[in-house]
Amino acid sequence: MKDFKELRKKLIEETKKKIKASVKKDNLIIQAVNSIDEADRAANTLAKRLREWYSFYLPEFSNSIASHQKFAELILKKSKKELLAEIKLSPEKSMGADLEKEDLDAMFELAKALGGLYNYKEKELKYLEAAAKKHCPNVTALAGHLIAAKLISLAGSLEKLSAMPSSTIQLLGAEKALFRHLTTGAKSPKYGILHEHPLILNAKKSEHGRIARLLADKIAIAAKVDFFKGDFVGDRLKKEIEKRIKGDIEKNSRGNSKGRAK
Amino acid sequence: MITPLKFYEIFEEKKGKRRKLFTKNLVRGRQVYGEKLVRDKGVEFREWNPSKSKPAAAIMKGLNQFGLKPGDKVLYLGASSGTTVSHFSDIVGEKGMIFALDFAPRVVRDLVMLCEVRKNLAPLLENAFKVDDYKDKIIHPVDFLFQDIAQKNQAEIFMRNVDAFLKKGGYCHLAVKSRSVDVTKKPGKVFNEVKAFLRERVEIVDYRELGPFEKDHAYFVCKKR
């Protein structure tokens, strides 16, 4: 029993040290990217509320502006008159009610808080960009800092990401669809978080799967280089992807015309 | 009214059809995970929530043997933040000792804080598959072994530890999550495979499926030959 008392003390101490040592850059990047995601979601909810609220006062303005951020900025900066002039509407034609100053101020507090949230997001993005470039330059060069950070977040760490095969990377973020596919035999997903990548967003729908596969291939290589601190090869990998995409499309269209000729 | 169950230091309260499980609180006045504290005749009990703790779920499903008793030496694999560990700590009492192991730093952080409050707990931040890494850090053989690790090869990990650390005739419990073993297979099939695997190596004394408390989970109570 006495042994245990001492052993326990030693183990608590040792475990504390291990936990302290386990905090890595990965963890910080993951927290930052998740925080950005959540700030995004919170900002959207609040912005919708603000628009709803402000529309009692000036309903015609909300539809004229798509960006939530600009909306919050403008209603703080300009008066009702100026805003009406901006959308070329005479005050008599507006459906908005006249509100007292204290009611307006309550609303503007929300607009200020929302502005702060957008401000926070921008700063956090800058931090993330610098951190990602330093921590995983190659993956960042291929996927951009946001997707690179999300990939690390989904994998758990850069080490785990570097140990993943490209097929797994391709489907990170599509776990639900993948398991639905495996258990019920539904269609298999083509991509997970990679669908946010500009190369995929800008491609034809029929090309999405192929490009996702290509991207995942090169990201798998890049992650390995990053984890084992190799030289920068991001540029080369990216060029290879772009070349392949072009080549594939050309080859494809040639193949098709042949098919039609028969 | 809180009455003792047939297992050591585990209690129940019946109200109509509702049944609640309790253990005596080892550290008075302190909650671990937001569970209810109940006083009965000067003794403080902590409610043992079967939806949060697999052994409690297994008891609710009518387990016949449990095997954990006061003063036991316990190796607990997959302790997480210490929800179930805290109840085991209540059961073994001041004379018992529990080595609580988990691999994820995040949850062990909470576990360490629990260990500092409860004198019969010691934390280990180790990989349960690498038995050699921690064989010198614990006092073995242990009287009781518990494993709740949602891993593909969890039965293999279980047997490794049973072979290395459990005394002959000691009880060992295994909670199996079929979705971690193989999502594509039907849970019943996975459980049968695990059962066949275990039967060759230990004596299975009880087996329960844990629905509706835990989906697709099974609970094995075994004894080392």
Side-chain angles (χ1 to χ4, degrees):
Chain A
M1 201 56 213
K2 212 175 148 201
D3 299 349
F4 180 70
K5 221 171 164 183
E6 264 160 40
L7 186 61
R8 170 175 166 270
K9 230 179 175 176
K10 223 176 81 189
L11 282 176
I12 289 181
E13 227 166 84
E14 187 191 303
T15 310
K16 277 184 172 176
K17 269 185 204 149
K18 273 190 186 169
I19 291 174
K20 199 172 170 180
S22 74
V23 179
K24 305 230 167 66
K25 194 86 186 171
D26 293 66
N27 303 78
L28 303 176
I29 287 179
I30 289 169
Q31 292 296 341
V33 73
N34 289 345
S35 175
I36 288 170
D37 254 12
E38 274 154 23
D40 233 6
R41 244 175 284 148
N44 268 330
T45 319
L46 289 177
K48 267 190 244 157
R49 170 67 53 212
L50 181 67
R51 278 170 186 266
E52 202 60 38
W53 199 346
Y54 191 77
S55 294
F56 288 125
Y57 183 55
L58 211 174
E60 291 83 2
F61 182 60
S62 182
N63 279 340
S64 74
I65 187 156
S67 154
H68 291 326
Q69 190 177 1
K70 280 235 175 82
F71 179 82
E73 266 170 35
L74 280 174
I75 66 167
L76 278 177
K77 234 196 293 178
K78 295 189 175 172
S79 70
K80 189 174 184 177
K81 236 189 214 163
E82 287 172 299
L83 289 176
L84 276 169
E86 217 163 83
I87 53 172
K88 293 183 185 113
L89 196 75
S90 66
E92 301 86 59
K93 278 194 179 158
S94 168
M95 291 184 279
D98 293 319
L99 297 183
E100 284 177 30
K101 186 173 179 300
E102 56 184 40
D103 295 328
L104 280 179
D105 283 347
M107 191 161 72
F108 288 151
E109 282 305 324
L110 176 59
K112 276 182 215 160
L114 191 58
L117 204 53
Y118 283 117
N119 205 353
Y120 158 77
K121 209 186 106 187
E122 266 162 36
K123 278 186 194 154
E124 206 71 283
L125 272 171
K126 257 182 213 153
Y127 159 76
L128 188 68
E129 187 173 1
K133 260 187 191 151
K134 210 171 142 203
H135 189 58
C136 49
N138 290 299
V139 179
T140 308
L142 286 183
H145 54 275
L146 210 54
I147 294 179
K150 281 181 186 171
L151 284 172
I152 292 177
S153 168
L154 286 165
S157 66
L158 183 59
E159 180 177 4
K160 282 186 192 157
L161 184 68
S162 72
M164 279 180 176
S166 84
S167 52
T168 306
I169 292 175
Q170 188 187 343
L171 295 183
L172 279 178
E175 283 80 3
K176 205 174 155 193
L178 174 66
F179 288 127
R180 197 190 319 127
H181 162 65
L182 289 176
T183 47
T184 71
K187 265 192 189 171
S188 67
K190 293 195 202 74
Y191 35 72
I193 193 69
L194 285 181
H195 81 274
E196 287 174 15
H197 195 281
L199 276 176
I200 294 185
L201 281 179
N202 297 333
K204 264 196 302 182
K205 189 131 199 242
S206 56
E207 302 284 331
H208 281 189
R210 174 184 296 125
I211 296 175
R213 205 166 55 232
L214 250 170
L215 256 175
D217 282 354
K218 299 300 180 192
I219 288 174
I221 297 171
K224 287 169 180 64
V225 177
D226 280 336
F227 179 67
F228 294 104
K229 304 267 177 264
D231 298 333
F232 184 72
V233 291
D235 282 347
R236 210 183 73 210
L237 291 174
K238 193 161 190 188
K239 254 180 222 154
E240 279 175 24
I241 294 179
E242 277 156 8
K243 218 168 113 191
R244 274 287 302 277
I245 290 175
K246 244 188 186 167
D248 275 359
I249 291 169
E250 271 166 22
K251 208 162 66 188
N252 223 25
S253 56
R254 239 185 294 143
N256 278 344
S257 60
K258 238 185 202 168
R260 264 198 298 276
K262 269 183 189 173
Chain B
M1 238 239 322
I2 294 178
T3 50
L5 271 178
K6 58 184 167 183
F7 310 128
Y8 289 101
E9 295 296 309
I10 302 176
F11 304 83
E12 68 170 350
E13 184 186 39
K14 275 185 182 161
K15 266 186 193 163
K17 273 188 181 173
R18 287 210 150 183
R19 200 167 150 231
K20 283 179 178 170
L21 295 178
F22 293 92
T23 56
K24 270 185 202 162
N25 196 353
L26 190 68
V27 187
R28 262 192 158 220
R30 263 192 110 120
Q31 289 171 307
V32 176
Y33 56 100
E35 74 282 19
K36 253 192 198 148
L37 299 181
V38 180
R39 283 261 165 97
D40 191 70
K41 287 176 201 137
V43 185
E44 190 174 85
F45 292 94
R46 292 166 59 229
E47 193 181 332
W48 197 359
N49 185 345
S51 326
K52 286 188 177 171
S53 179
K54 279 154 212 155
I59 292 171
M60 289 294 252
K61 296 282 284 190
L63 219 58
N64 283 324
Q65 294 190 50
F66 200 71
L68 183 62
K69 50 189 190 304
D72 268 357
K73 249 182 272 166
V74 178
L75 177 59
Y76 191 115
L77 306 164
S80 187
S81 43
T83 306
T84 305
V85 177
S86 71
H87 289 287
F88 277 22
S89 151
D90 285 347
I91 294 169
V92 299
E94 276 161 11
K95 288 198 173 126
M97 49 182 99
I98 300 176
F99 296 97
L101 178 147
D102 207 291
F103 190 40
R106 172 63 190 91
V107 290
V108 176
R109 207 160 77 201
D110 294 339
L111 185 64
V112 168
M113 287 186 225
L114 183 73
C115 290
E116 283 181 324
V117 182
R118 290 176 171 256
K119 298 256 174 331
N120 56 10
L121 291 184
L124 285 160
L125 180 60
E126 301 281 354
N127 184 345
F129 193 65
K130 295 179 178 163
V131 173
D132 289 339
D133 284 0
Y134 56 92
K135 68 166 192 266
D136 298 329
K137 292 180 187 171
I138 68 174
I139 303 172
H140 57 86
V142 296
D143 309 304
F144 187 94
L145 190 142
F146 180 86
Q147 185 197 305
D148 175 13
I149 298 176
Q151 280 284 324
K152 198 165 182 162
N153 56 347
Q154 57 172 208
E156 196 192 337
I157 298 175
F158 179 69
M159 278 322 300
R160 258 186 194 220
N161 282 281
V162 168
D163 289 341
F165 301 124
L166 189 65
K167 72 170 186 191
K168 229 176 171 186
Y171 278 89
C172 44
H173 293 196
L174 172 67
V176 178
K177 181 181 178 186
S178 82
R179 286 164 185 232
S180 296
V181 179
D182 193 337
V183 274
T184 59
K185 276 187 199 149
K186 286 247 166 65
K189 211 175 165 197
V190 174
F191 299 149
N192 282 338
E193 283 172 15
V194 175
K195 209 186 261 177
F197 177 83
L198 290 178
R199 197 176 287 138
E200 283 174 18
R201 295 162 175 86
V202 287
E203 186 191 334
I204 300 176
V205 291
D206 210 336
Y207 163 81
R208 304 280 151 170
E209 286 179 21
L210 297 186
F213 302 108
E214 298 272 358
K215 208 179 161 196
D216 300 340
H217 279 72
Y219 198 90
F220 292 89
V221 178
C222 317
K223 234 175 173 180
K224 191 173 178 180
R225 279 187 199 124

